[in-house]
Amino acid sequence: MPAISFQSVSKTYPSARIQTDPAVRALDDVSFDIQPGEFFGLLGPNGAGKTSLISILAGLSRASAGRILVHGSDVLSDYANARRKLGVVPQELVFDPFFSVRETLRIQSGYFGIKRNDAWIDELLDSLGLADKANANMRQLSGGMKRRVLVAQALVHKPQVIVLDEPTAGVDVELRQTLWQFIAKLNKQGSTVLLTTHYLEEAEALCSRIAMLKRGRVVALAQTSELLKAASSNVLRFKVDSELPSHLAAQARITGRIVQFPANNAHEIEQYLVAIRQAGLVAEDVEIRKADLEDVFLDVMNGKTVEQPQALAGVAK
Ligand SMILES: Nc1ncnc2c1ncn2[C@@H]1O[C@H](COP(=O)(O)OP(=O)(O)O)[C@@H](O)[C@H]1O
Ligand SMILES: [Mg+2]
């Protein structure tokens, strides 16, 4: 049985202010399963629908169509069971400012009917570098510290499935390391992890499988290693001081003066450099690097590698 099963999930938000505004289709027929013990990454640009999907999973919002099961429990019709199996770290920081860190975690334990939970609460505080803040009031904490409490809060009931929605957005390096060490340990001990992030190097390092979401649709879904194989092996990167001729620009990824070409071998790299010289341009700061998840991601988002949804899933088989 999958840890999480997304089944044809769609979500349409009503038009924002005036009735002539089009309704927003945030999720469009999203289907995939996450298996127990997986460390799964859900990637996509801002507005792709990641938080909408997680809100429905967490029971905070209702799907317009489709359903989601957590270890077989429907998040709508069997909410209490589904919720107990889930630990959700939301994207937004929301807290009651009047309680201390320990009180916040005790109250959260109470929601799940857990009475004496201090041994686990202490372990959470220790593992997340919060031990010396146990008695501090929530309103006294910095944003990074609040984020840690949010993670601890999601874990008080030892959920089988841990869901993190952009947990490291705007967070310092130290917390990222603390957090990933701890989450990786829980994953090794058997917890399933679903992570959304736009830090692609994080996803590449942590996630064994990745789905990419674009405008509410799954446009790629594969093992991380397969996604990386789907990219060219290398990237030729350099700076130019004037515009590339259109036949070259069409093959390149251009960010201001920086030009990047996907290249499989030395011959291709040479050909690009020759073409640049023939176009009368001077390439500066030339470097060759290994393609990474960001290259795959940009290719997918630009519709370069993947013409149809799921095309990369085929590659994985
Ligand atoms: N409560 C809401 N009401 C109306 N539109 C929303 C609401 N929440 C999200 N949206 C819209 O749905 C789309 C997906 O948003 P979201 O799920 O937050 O994406 P992501 O988390 O990937 O950035 C966006 O176009 C966003 O503006
Ligand atoms: Mg979001």
Side-chain angles (χ1 to χ4, degrees):
M1 188 193 292
I4 308 177
S5 184
F6 297 103
Q7 302 180 359
S8 304
V9 180
S10 294
K11 175 77 184 178
T12 306
Y13 294 104
S15 53
R17 283 141 296 155
I18 40 172
Q19 286 187 331
T20 48
D21 278 0
V24 179
R25 193 148 180 79
L27 294 168
D28 188 1
D29 200 15
V30 170
S31 293
F32 62 91
D33 288 350
I34 299 175
Q35 299 307 324
E38 273 199 286
F39 203 126
F40 192 95
L42 179 63
L43 309 185
N46 268 336
K50 305 180 295 297
T51 298
S52 296
L53 192 62
I54 284 175
S55 302
I56 299 166
L57 170 65
L60 301 170
S61 148
R62 259 180 103 136
S64 312
R67 60 174 195 162
I68 305 180
L69 307 181
V70 182
H71 283 278
S73 304
D74 189 308
V75 299
L76 196 62
S77 63
D78 194 7
Y79 172 73
N81 280 319
R83 185 64 190 85
R84 192 148 7 99
K85 296 169 190 168
L86 279 176
V88 183
V89 183
Q91 187 172 1
E92 301 297 331
L93 296 168
V94 271
F95 283 109
D96 197 321
F98 299 106
F99 294 113
S100 73
V101 172
R102 185 179 295 281
E103 283 164 347
T104 301
L105 298 180
R106 280 183 179 156
I107 292 165
Q108 184 73 8
S109 305
Y111 287 142
F112 290 101
I114 308 167
K115 291 219 175 72
R116 278 175 292 276
N117 202 22
D118 273 17
W120 176 235
I121 287 177
D122 282 329
E123 198 175 329
L124 286 171
L125 293 174
D126 261 346
S127 308
L128 290 162
L130 278 168
D132 58 340
K133 297 279 190 284
N135 299 315
N137 263 18
M138 290 304 301
R139 64 171 177 277
Q140 299 170 319
L141 300 184
S142 67
M145 285 294 162
K146 283 192 183 118
R147 178 74 63 186
R148 292 174 200 229
V149 180
L150 214 55
V151 175
Q153 207 178 4
L155 299 176
V156 288
H157 59 299
K158 299 191 177 170
Q160 294 162 268
V161 182
I162 303 168
V163 181
L164 304 121
D165 192 3
E166 308 238 16
T168 49
V171 145
D172 56 276
V173 179
E174 197 197 332
L175 171 53
R176 282 203 216 180
Q177 281 170 354
T178 312
L179 181 62
W180 292 135
Q181 240 168 32
F182 187 47
I183 299 295
K185 182 176 133 195
L186 294 174
N187 176 245
K188 277 209 189 72
Q189 292 171 351
S191 301
T192 309
V193 181
L194 168 57
L195 160 72
T196 84
T197 181
H198 58 247
Y199 291 101
L200 296 174
E201 70 279 22
E202 238 167 49
E204 188 176 333
L206 292 161
C207 301
S208 52
R209 216 153 56 98
I210 282 173
M212 292 186 183
L213 213 56
K214 177 186 177 183
R215 282 191 235 111
R217 298 183 69 96
V218 177
V219 290
L221 173 59
Q223 299 284 333
T224 309
S225 54
E226 293 299 329
L227 281 173
L228 290 167
K229 269 188 231 161
S232 311
S233 50
N234 293 298
V235 174
L236 168 68
R237 181 185 188 279
F238 54 84
K239 288 183 191 154
V240 284
D241 44 17
S242 46
E243 225 167 280
L244 247 54
S246 57
H247 70 282
L248 284 175
Q251 300 171 60
R253 193 163 97 217
I254 301 170
T255 322
R257 294 181 55 215
I258 298 168
V259 177
Q260 304 193 79
F261 284 108
N264 288 301
N265 52 46
H267 180 65
E268 283 185 22
I269 291 169
E270 207 179 313
Q271 281 186 322
Y272 282 126
L273 290 173
V274 168
I276 292 297
R277 186 150 34 81
Q278 283 173 347
L281 300 172
V282 179
E284 285 170 56
D285 297 340
V286 178
E287 68 181 49
I288 295 158
R289 62 173 177 82
K290 286 212 85 58
D292 59 21
L293 195 59
E294 181 149 6
D295 299 301
V296 181
F297 182 76
L298 289 169
D299 280 352
V300 169
M301 291 306 147
N302 294 328
K304 273 188 187 157
T305 323
V306 180
E307 303 291 41
Q308 292 162 348
Q310 308 298 327
L312 273 172
V315 175
K317 279 165 199 151

